[in-house]
Amino acid sequence: MTEEQDSAGQGRRVGWVELYFDLVFVFAVSQVTHAIVADPRWAHVASALGLFATLWWTWIGFALLYNRVGDDTRATDRLFVLAGTVPCAIAATQAHHVFEGHQAGFAGALAGVRLILAVAHWWSGRGKAGVRRITWGYAAATVVFTISAFTPRPWVFVLWAFALIQEAGFLLLDKGADGRRARHDAHRPSRAAKMSALLAPSSNPGRAVDAGHLSERFGLFMILLLGELVITVGGAALDRPADDLGYWLALVGGLVLAGALWWVYFTSAAEIYERMLGLSGGNPALAYFLYAGGHLFPAFSLLLIAAGVDLALHESPPSAAAWFVTAGLTAYLSGTRVFSMQPRKWYVNVLQIAALAATVNLALLRHVLSAPAVVLVIAVWAVGSAVLSARVRDGVLENLMDDPAAFFRASERDLERDSGA
């Protein structure tokens, strides 16, 4: 990636080596979907979420590496990313062993990735503020993941959680002036005050992120996850012995569902997030809120939906198939926050909660409809959600453009006035 702006003045763009890295990384996260399909129990889904979180923060590390100190014109920077694909691919092949209680290979691969990230930050970020702390942070994470390879359950998961929390801290959640301001704001009951603090530029310019690059990088990764859903739908359809009614219902329903999910994110959430992060001057805490932490559940929900649609296309689909799809859709809609950013009255909040509850309980239709038919109904519901999200988007972008701080203050005044009434 170059340091120059593009012709439109949008700043950094995603480099080709980053796209290659994402392709390799999607192979890793696709193993999470396969693990859920192999054992469709909610306890297994929870384990899959934990496994996905470790992979997610690995990907975040490389995304922020290039966002802050990467340069696609430097061969060494490209080589660091290419080197990272090797342990990531190894982690993908070892992921299923974690569910069997053998995490040594997976943990060792993640330790190798973090060693590469430590060296990459040290080499590429020499002389840049805040990079030394990130280098030492990844060095510590390397040690933690190495120890976890030889640690019995459940302590291995405690070590992984500790490593991921400290990675979030040194990457985005600064403990300096911004951290003190965030903690101070956290004690305020005012939603507007909290958002105003997040929209303020970082006191340490060296920790700021490039909004355009980060938005594009996450958008491309979400596209790849949606591609995983499409591939899963097509592959499961081809595995059916006959092109019967169930085949067509699930195939059409799965593809329509994928299109609706694309619409919700790319015509609503993606543009709102980029606008907010740009207005903040690349505030790293807001980048965590919207992207690094904020995208975790929507991204995983796409894998859960893919697993549910895959199971729905089986000859004898388990009862969990429909629940995976509806729970995934609910997590996706709530996680993208497309319905929670517009100033609204209290009863709209109630309707929003009711709509999310209805989304989850669409799975109850499995008692009267076949699993493929339920997928089609869920797809139609998702299309309706996509239409509503587009209407919300227009109002949010208009208000953000005028005065972001006033936008959140207006939202809070509406709530106070309605509650007082």
Side-chain angles (χ1 to χ4, degrees):
M1 179 185 317
T2 66
E3 297 290 342
E4 300 176 355
Q5 291 190 336
D6 65 8
S7 58
Q10 296 299 315
R12 293 172 176 242
R13 302 300 302 271
V14 173
W16 297 116
V17 71
E18 294 179 273
L19 296 177
Y20 175 72
F21 177 84
D22 288 354
L23 288 175
V24 175
F25 205 84
V26 165
F27 167 61
V29 298
S30 67
Q31 302 309 302
V32 176
T33 302
H34 297 161
I36 296 174
V37 172
D39 187 0
R41 294 178 296 121
W42 285 107
H44 208 64
V45 171
S47 299
L49 174 59
L51 191 69
F52 177 75
T54 62
L55 294 170
W56 175 255
W57 277 103
T58 303
W59 181 84
I60 294 293
F62 281 95
L64 289 175
L65 168 69
Y66 246 54
N67 185 279
R68 282 173 169 157
V69 299
D71 187 344
D72 215 31
T73 64
R74 294 197 298 250
T76 51
D77 288 7
R78 298 196 300 270
L79 287 173
F80 280 130
V81 176
L82 291 175
T85 64
V86 177
C88 285
I90 294 174
T93 63
Q94 297 297 308
H96 67 281
H97 291 307
V98 177
F99 296 101
E100 300 166 359
H102 308 293
Q103 77 280 356
F106 182 80
L110 292 186
V113 173
R114 279 149 179 82
L115 179 60
I116 293 172
L117 283 169
V119 176
H121 277 90
W122 170 77
W123 180 269
S124 301
R126 287 172 294 179
K128 295 188 177 181
V131 175
R132 182 178 180 182
R133 180 183 173 211
I134 295 175
T135 299
W136 283 109
Y138 272 123
T142 301
V143 174
V144 173
F145 273 98
T146 301
I147 294 174
S148 73
F150 309 99
T151 304
R153 293 190 175 193
W155 299 109
V156 60
F157 302 117
V158 175
L159 288 176
W160 288 357
F162 170 77
L164 298 183
I165 291 172
Q166 67 99 20
E167 285 180 15
F170 66 69
L171 280 175
L172 292 169
L173 300 180
D174 194 356
K175 296 181 180 179
D178 290 335
R180 290 191 295 270
R181 180 173 60 189
R183 286 191 296 271
H184 176 64
D185 290 339
H187 295 292
R188 301 179 185 176
S190 170
R191 174 175 176 262
K194 294 177 183 178
M195 292 308 301
S196 295
L198 289 176
L199 287 169
S202 173
S203 61
N204 184 353
R207 291 184 57 79
V209 299
D210 185 291
H213 172 269
L214 201 66
S215 176
E216 186 179 8
R217 187 74 191 273
F218 274 80
L220 291 170
F221 192 69
M222 294 295 282
I223 277 284
L224 292 174
L225 292 179
L226 285 167
E228 174 67 18
L229 172 57
V230 172
I231 292 172
T232 298
V233 171
L238 290 174
D239 289 338
R240 287 183 67 91
D243 297 350
D244 54 8
L245 179 62
Y247 167 89
W248 291 108
L249 289 175
L251 179 61
V252 174
L255 294 176
V256 170
L257 178 58
L261 296 174
W262 177 91
W263 191 278
V264 168
Y265 184 82
F266 287 98
T267 65
S268 299
E271 191 169 357
I272 294 172
Y273 291 167
E274 183 176 1
R275 180 71 58 81
M276 292 179 67
L277 188 58
L279 290 169
S280 74
N283 186 311
L286 184 61
Y288 173 84
F289 176 72
L290 295 177
Y291 289 100
H295 274 61
L296 173 62
F297 288 104
F300 179 75
S301 68
L302 291 177
L303 302 181
L304 185 60
I305 291 171
V309 174
D310 187 332
L311 292 167
L313 277 163
H314 289 188
E315 282 296 301
S316 300
S319 60
W323 289 108
F324 286 172
V325 180
T326 58
L329 178 58
T330 303
Y332 186 83
L333 294 176
S334 59
T336 53
R337 304 185 184 92
V338 291
F339 300 114
S340 60
M341 293 185 178
Q342 181 76 302
R344 57 197 184 276
K345 298 182 181 297
W346 66 269
Y347 56 81
V348 177
N349 289 334
V350 175
L351 290 175
Q352 178 185 333
I353 295 173
L356 291 175
T359 303
V360 174
N361 287 294
L362 286 174
L364 294 174
L365 292 174
R366 68 182 180 82
H367 294 295
V368 294
L369 297 174
S370 64
V374 173
V375 171
L376 183 60
V377 172
I378 296 170
V380 173
W381 185 272
V383 169
S385 300
V387 173
L388 289 175
S389 71
R391 296 190 61 181
V392 171
R393 164 194 172 275
D394 294 336
V396 172
L397 290 177
E398 181 179 354
N399 285 292
L400 281 174
M401 184 180 299
D402 293 338
D403 186 346
F407 168 64
F408 292 106
R409 287 197 298 269
S411 175
E412 196 160 3
R413 283 197 302 268
D414 285 346
L415 292 173
E416 290 174 353
R417 182 173 59 252
D418 291 336
S419 62

